[in-house]
Amino acid sequence: MMEQQILSSEEKTRYERQIPLSYVGEEGQLKLKESSVLVIGAGGLGSPVLLYLAAAGVGRLDIVDDDVVSLGNLNRQILYGVDDLGKPKAECAVARLQLLNPNCRVECFTERLTEANAEQLISQYDLLVDATDNLPTRYLIDRVCAQQKVPFVYGSVSQDDGHVAYFPCDGGSSYSDLFPYSPDVEHFEGSKLVLGAHVGMVASMQAMVALKALLGKPVLAHTLMTIDSDGMNFMKIKV
């Protein structure tokens, strides 16, 4: 018989500001503790997502990223500092998150998500967060999550625009329904112009959507949230 999880006194103190919320409680906190999340990308979106999921008490939090930290990352990739320059982002992220919350088991894969490894990686998790910055990987995530029935939270940024959506992989709409694939995807280069605070706003929404899904209170299912941080305009579009 599997041993029943309980919250330690340290955990109850650590999460004392969120456990009393009506949609959390000790039962919800245990759900988070027993949950596993894979975050693809540990950059501008991935940094806040990882920090908030670890801080909230997600039990297993794994990272896929093959890049290293550069000086130009630091305006938005808040997991890192100048001491991390030239080091693998995923490894630096693990060290930072373990300091933040030792109760969270964090591992990393310093490789790119590809056709060769996507199915084996993604199938292990309760939820995936897409914090990537390239379209070929995003379509791969969409397809493999649908095949493996792993729900995922999508997020993207471009200058002052941002997107967030939740795809439960329940046979309903998918990312490719929202943005149909075209051959131009393989040569897509996203905008490199962005304020770090805008990226953080989109990432915070992704983290909230992920936590709600893990708690069994999903929001933005099959719905695209568009964010215009220039005029502070928000709009929901049902997919």
Side-chain angles (χ1 to χ4, degrees), residues 4 18 26 35 53-54 56 62 83 91 93 113 126 129 148 161 181 185 215 230-232:
Q4 186 176 7
Q18 64 191 52
E26 288 199 21
S35 295
L53 295 186
D62 290 354
D83 290 343
E91 292 180 0
L113 190 75
D126 299 319
V129 178
Q148 298 297 317
D161 296 323
Y181 179 87
V185 162
L215 290 166
D230 185 35
M232 286 298 171

Side-chain angles (χ1 to χ4, degrees), residues 9 17 57 61 87 96 107 127 144 146 188 229:
S9 58
R17 296 299 182 95
L61 190 54
K87 299 176 183 177
R96 175 71 180 87
E107 296 181 7
L127 180 76
V144 175
F188 171 81
S229 65

